[in-house]
Amino acid sequence: MYRSHNCGELRASHSNTEVTLSGWVQGVRDKGFMIYIDLRDRYGITQLYFDEERTPKAIMEQASKLGREFVIQVKGNVIERASKNPNIPTGDIEVLVSELNILNSSLVPPFTIEDKTDGGDDVRMKYRYLDIRRNPVKNSLIFRAKVAQEVRNYLSSDGFIEVETPYLIKSTPEGARDFVVPSRMNEGQFYALPQSPQTFKQLLMVGGMDKYYQIVKCFRDEDLRADRQPEFTQIDCEMAFVEQEDILNVFEGLTRHLLKEVNGVEVEKFPRMLYDDAMRLYGNDKPDIRFGMEFGELNAVTQHKEFGVFNNAELVVGIAVPGGNSYTRKEIDKLIDWVKRPQVGALGMIYSRCNDDGTYKSSVDKFYDQDDLAKWAEITGAKKGDLVCVLSGDTNKVRAQLSALRMELATRLGLRDPKVFAPLWVIDFPLLELDEETGHYHAMHHPFTSPKPGQIELLDTNPGDVKANAYDLVLNGNEIGGGSIRIHDKKTQAIMLKHLGFSEEDARAQFGFLMDAFEYGAPPHGGLAFGLDRLVAILGGQETIRDFIAFPKNNSGRDVMIDAPAPIDDEQLEELSLKLNLKS
């Protein structure tokens, strides 16, 4: 056997035990008459000791030629260290080597295999197999496995059945572009990779599998960012004979279970917040409620005061920054420059200082007196020593801008503690969303989301007012899961597709299989999908998902390690009846 123990296992209790270890050379310290080598595997590090008085000469010569990341096997005796290392679990012992076998040599790695490496993102992605040897990435992948296992434990114990659904499916309009796969056996036709298993899990409900889940890969051909990948993993769940409250209770339970078993944290409260309130108070539909700084709408106390910027605005809104009156004018100017960045897009920012003596000092004192500024403070909840920051403009844009400012200030103020977890449900989303460019409505979630009871008639008169029987689970300012009660009858589904612009022919072509299934006794059903990558990152105290994915793509959707995507040769193109029409 290659090893009797792993490199994180040996303790003082193993002294005088003959052991066999295998692993990678972390480092070599050659003192001439003695050599120390740190041997690493995924379990830890054990120090190896070579002594010219007790180690055969040939082995000493071998040891002196070892380099970083050589793969070796050693046999030897566990002895107590003369100088103990309290920083590692094996720090009380070392192994006096009697046999050494070089299993494989190694080139000098392009970056150091240390917790804090000298490798940049690009080079580490190119040599991802080396990056995985580093503790931060290795531990993130182990952490992900633990989360996935706990998900399976919880759902299986609650009667859920894990069912796999196909990857080669039909292209359906679900909000993002599909990845398509040509079919050699069906010339000129294409499969699509699933953006989600949505229709299949609904068909499983029709089939009587009343509690389904799977941990499944999904694919979306869309622009990327730090927390988004072209292929991602969902914890996909569906239940039959349920209402919204049933689903919320089940997945509150799952989230509590994960926080307790993975993070050792007890969370009792899962507040419910209306979508409209989330937008009004926080400017987005996934608010971080670990801290306050709620929005205060100031139209009534700022407009008609001869200040044109506010008078011409659809919305004037502010937040109170705790302790912000300590900011210097230079610091406030930098804050103004920050909101004017293209990524935020504000035209400027007005502010008011809340002085310790109860007076106020604003950048627009010419237009607003002390009574006016006192009302600003009252509406935003500002106290003595705070700073009121005010933005104005079109409602949707200014809410998004102030939301970005709120999160930036909270980060600077240390209010976003990754060890504190604040979940909430956001409910009653709009069913439809207006595309301002085309003037057409599209489904805010997907075409199978049910409207709230009694609101289907509003689709003909006030489609923008219809609320969806939909819900998102938010954790620390991130959407970690979302779902809805589904439409389960053919008539309602046909009405919904009509209002989304589908003709009867298009609806039949795209969703005929689902509409047919609804005619064979489809039960009321609904579900939820967690984004596993994001959930794991947040539970692990991170904002980005990449280090929790074994082989991620970069921000251009490329795998730089295997150099994909890549061209295919002419013979394959011909076999698939494809012809390239590349833009120059």
Side-chain angles (χ1 to χ4, degrees):
M1 59 184 176
Y2 280 104
R3 54 187 178 184
S4 60
H5 299 77
N6 64 55
C7 293
E9 188 176 351
L10 299 175
R11 302 292 187 270
S13 60
H14 293 95
S15 294
N16 298 316
T17 302
E18 289 290 330
V19 297
T20 303
L21 301 179
S22 294
W24 289 264
V25 173
Q26 177 74 22
V28 180
R29 299 180 299 283
D30 190 341
K31 306 294 185 182
F33 58 93
M34 62 179 67
I35 300 172
Y36 296 98
I37 290 175
D38 290 332
L39 188 66
R40 184 195 72 244
D41 62 13
R42 84 170 173 92
Y43 305 96
I45 289 178
T46 296
Q47 180 170 283
L48 309 179
Y49 177 51
F50 301 78
D51 180 349
E52 67 179 5
E53 293 184 359
R54 291 178 285 180
T55 303
K57 183 177 180 182
I59 293 175
M60 286 291 290
E61 290 179 356
Q62 267 189 305
S64 68
K65 296 176 182 177
L66 295 177
R68 285 190 293 133
E69 302 307 311
F70 274 47
V71 186
I72 64 172
Q73 178 194 47
V74 297
K75 294 183 180 180
N77 191 43
V78 179
I79 61 176
E80 185 178 356
R81 274 204 203 190
S83 179
K84 295 180 172 56
N85 181 356
N87 297 318
I88 58 173
T90 61
D92 288 345
I93 59 90
E94 58 193 4
V95 174
L96 178 61
V97 177
S98 56
E99 294 183 32
L100 168 62
N101 181 21
I102 299 175
L103 301 175
N104 216 330
S105 61
S106 172
L107 298 174
V108 177
F111 54 89
T112 55
I113 313 297
E114 302 279 358
D115 290 3
K116 293 184 178 180
T117 183
D118 54 0
D121 286 349
D122 290 342
V123 70
R124 287 191 295 110
M125 288 304 98
K126 183 175 180 179
Y127 298 94
R128 183 64 167 180
Y129 45 85
L130 297 179
D131 201 32
I132 291 172
R133 296 180 190 175
R134 296 174 52 243
N135 283 327
V137 181
K138 175 198 74 176
N139 292 337
S140 292
L141 296 181
I142 294 171
F143 184 83
R144 180 189 177 106
K146 181 177 180 181
V147 173
Q149 186 60 52
E150 290 300 335
V151 168
R152 286 190 165 95
N153 291 344
Y154 178 89
L155 293 175
S156 297
S157 69
D158 198 30
F160 282 79
I161 304 300
E162 186 169 10
V163 183
E164 294 183 1
T165 54
Y167 280 156
L168 295 176
I169 67 167
K170 185 177 185 178
S171 180
T172 58
E174 295 182 55
R177 287 183 293 271
D178 289 323
F179 284 101
V180 294
V181 181
S183 172
R184 179 183 57 81
M185 293 182 290
N186 299 274
E187 188 174 334
Q189 295 184 319
F190 296 81
Y191 298 105
L193 301 179
Q195 296 182 33
S196 79
Q198 182 61 48
T199 54
F200 287 101
K201 64 184 178 184
Q202 291 191 252
L203 292 170
L204 286 169
M205 296 303 102
V206 178
M209 304 295 290
D210 66 333
K211 285 187 171 182
Y212 140 92
Y213 86 98
Q214 66 174 322
I215 297 178
V216 58
K217 281 288 186 188
C218 301
F219 308 86
R220 292 179 186 171
D221 187 7
E222 58 188 348
D223 295 335
L224 304 179
R225 56 179 185 238
D227 63 342
R228 186 176 288 172
Q229 289 274 306
E231 52 181 326
F232 57 96
T233 306
Q234 284 186 353
I235 308 166
D236 198 56
C237 308
E238 196 82 2
M239 302 167 68
F241 303 111
V242 290
E243 297 177 335
Q244 177 175 295
E245 197 63 25
D246 300 309
I247 294 174
L248 267 55
N249 287 333
V250 167
F251 294 105
E252 277 186 24
L254 173 57
T255 308
R256 284 195 182 94
H257 175 82
L258 292 175
L259 287 168
K260 182 178 179 181
E261 296 300 321
V262 176
N263 294 83
V265 173
E266 300 269 4
V267 175
E268 292 300 324
K269 293 182 179 180
F270 280 67
R272 313 285 170 85
M273 184 180 297
L274 298 176
Y275 168 87
D276 290 343
D277 289 340
M279 298 303 294
R280 177 176 57 84
L281 295 173
Y282 299 98
N284 67 67
D285 59 5
K286 49 181 186 299
D288 191 337
I289 59 170
R290 285 175 292 181
F291 57 96
M293 296 171 66
E294 293 181 355
F295 291 10
E297 296 190 352
L298 302 172
N299 290 46
V301 297
T302 58
Q303 293 184 331
H304 313 298
K305 296 282 185 177
E306 298 184 359
F307 185 52
V309 173
F310 286 170
N311 289 341
N312 298 326
E314 188 176 12
L315 177 65
V316 182
V317 63
I319 54 173
V321 184
N325 193 31
S326 63
Y327 291 179
T328 65
R329 177 57 189 271
K330 185 176 181 180
E331 288 173 320
I332 293 176
D333 286 344
K334 287 184 177 180
L335 208 56
I336 294 172
D337 289 339
W338 190 90
V339 300
K340 291 167 71 174
R341 295 158 63 237
Q343 299 93 320
V344 180
L347 297 177
M349 185 186 83
I350 303 301
Y351 65 90
S352 175
R353 295 180 179 275
C354 303
N355 298 319
D356 293 337
D357 62 4
T359 63
Y360 303 92
K361 179 63 179 174
S362 171
S363 55
V364 286
D365 281 339
K366 179 180 178 181
F367 302 97
Y368 299 95
D369 60 25
Q370 291 292 297
D371 289 340
D372 294 325
L373 299 177
K375 292 175 183 176
W376 294 19
E378 179 183 355
I379 292 171
T380 60
K383 300 178 176 59
K384 293 178 181 179
D386 291 351
L387 179 75
V388 178
C389 296
V390 183
L391 300 181
S392 62
D394 295 339
T395 298
N396 291 338
K397 289 181 179 179
V398 79
R399 280 176 172 169
Q401 292 160 1
L402 192 60
S403 175
L405 176 61
R406 176 180 178 267
M407 295 295 279
E408 175 66 18
L409 287 167
T411 300
R412 295 183 186 189
L413 293 168
L415 301 177
R416 303 182 65 203
D417 186 346
K419 295 181 181 178
V420 174
F421 296 96
L424 80 152
W425 289 103
V426 177
I427 60 175
D428 289 7
F429 282 79
L431 181 68
L432 304 175
E433 197 170 28
L434 182 65
D435 187 325
E436 294 181 358
E437 291 185 7
T438 65
H440 296 143
Y441 283 98
H442 60 84
M444 193 166 192
H445 283 75
H446 52 62
F448 318 109
T449 298
S450 174
K452 299 290 281 189
Q455 294 196 5
I456 189 73
E457 294 81 7
L458 285 175
L459 283 172
D460 288 322
T461 56
N462 297 293
D465 293 340
V466 181
K467 298 298 184 185
N469 216 340
Y471 34 82
D472 279 356
L473 182 55
V474 177
L475 184 61
N476 294 0
N478 293 270
E479 176 200 333
I480 60 168
S484 66
I485 299 297
R486 323 301 188 189
I487 297 169
H488 69 280
D489 66 281
K490 181 178 180 179
K491 180 181 177 182
T492 305
Q493 188 64 72
I495 292 172
M496 182 67 175
L497 292 173
K498 175 184 175 183
H499 282 278
L500 291 174
F502 287 87
S503 66
E504 288 188 22
E505 294 77 13
D506 289 340
R508 165 56 55 181
Q510 291 279 359
F511 305 113
F513 64 95
L514 186 64
M515 308 282 273
D516 290 343
F518 284 171
E519 296 198 271
Y520 289 91
H525 59 281
L528 179 143
F530 284 89
L532 178 64
D533 310 299
R534 188 173 302 172
L535 173 63
V536 170
I538 295 167
L539 295 178
Q542 303 294 323
E543 287 285 330
T544 57
I545 65 175
R546 193 169 66 179
D547 277 352
F548 295 88
I549 299 172
F551 299 102
K553 307 292 189 291
N554 67 12
N555 288 345
S556 299
R558 294 197 64 82
D559 185 327
V560 296
M561 181 183 69
I562 64 171
D563 194 22
I568 60 174
D569 60 37
D570 291 341
E571 185 177 335
Q572 283 182 288
L573 288 172
E574 184 175 350
E575 188 176 38
L576 294 168
S577 301
L578 295 178
K579 185 176 181 180
L580 298 181
N581 184 20
L582 301 176
K583 296 178 181 179
S584 56

